[in-house]
Amino acid sequence: MKLSAEQIVEIEKYLGTFQIKYYELKQEFLDHMICSVEAILNEKEISLKDAIQLAKRDFEPLGFVGIMEERQREWRKKFSKAHWNWIKEFFKFPQIVFSIVLFISFYFVLENFNNSLKTAYSINLILVPFLIIEFIKLYRLRKKQGHLLLRTETFLSNNIMLALLLPQIGLNILNGFKESLDMNNILLKIVISIVLVYSFLSTVVFRKMAICEIKEVKKLYFS
């Protein structure tokens, strides 16, 4: 038997009690529950409420919230792996030539300023607007029908951390030892230059990945 619109609404209300905040999972859980409840009611003469409880067993032992958290981890892992794979490409020929030139350029910039850390913070700050442009475009696509899109929300939180916060943390760690560090030390400038190279490459990677995500999200959910 096919469920009526009223019965489907009851299943939706039941799922609503679990605070499933992501659109993809809400739709997936709903579709699965509808199919399971229909199959159960075809086999047994029980109430809709009891059929829903039986159908819920399909999601054990994790449950709805557990599955949601697991999917978040899976997307974070996927996006992080993609990020680092893109970064690795810049250390293969011929892209490595660009990375070396970038490193040398940053090093010579630092050589011309007295405070390497302050200069590095300024350079890192200059890169932020290039991240924000694509971030805003994707941020506008993070919801559908009042629910967050899991892949979009995860990409934004995970990859902005890798591209923006990670190099900032690196500079902050160095800044924490500034009293004991010689700002004109060659090794320190080399380390800071490496951080800046990563920051620049991460900005490039974030933009490329964001552009791909925008296309994919539009195709999947807004076409």
Side-chain angles (χ1 to χ4, degrees), residues 59-109:
F59 300 93
E60 294 176 351
L62 293 176
F64 298 117
V65 176
I67 292 173
M68 182 171 67
E69 292 171 351
E70 186 180 66
R71 295 289 177 81
Q72 285 175 308
R73 287 191 293 270
E74 289 172 357
W75 276 111
R76 279 197 294 269
K77 184 177 179 180
K78 178 180 179 179
F79 286 134
S80 294
K81 184 178 180 180
H83 172 86
W84 291 112
N85 284 341
W86 278 77
I87 292 291
K88 288 176 186 176
E89 290 299 313
F90 284 97
F91 294 93
K92 296 177 182 178
F93 189 82
Q95 293 94 323
I96 193 171
V97 176
F98 172 76
S99 300
I100 292 171
V101 171
L102 194 62
F103 170 81
I104 294 171
S105 300
F106 282 134
Y107 183 84
F108 277 105
V109 168

Side-chain angles (χ1 to χ4, degrees), residues 104-116 119 183-187 189-190 193:
I104 294 171
S105 300
F106 282 134
Y107 183 84
F108 277 105
V109 168
L110 297 177
E111 276 282 284
N112 288 291
F113 290 89
N114 292 326
N115 194 315
S116 299
T119 305
M183 289 299 111
N184 292 313
N185 183 280
I186 293 176
L187 182 59
K189 289 179 180 178
I190 289 173
S193 296

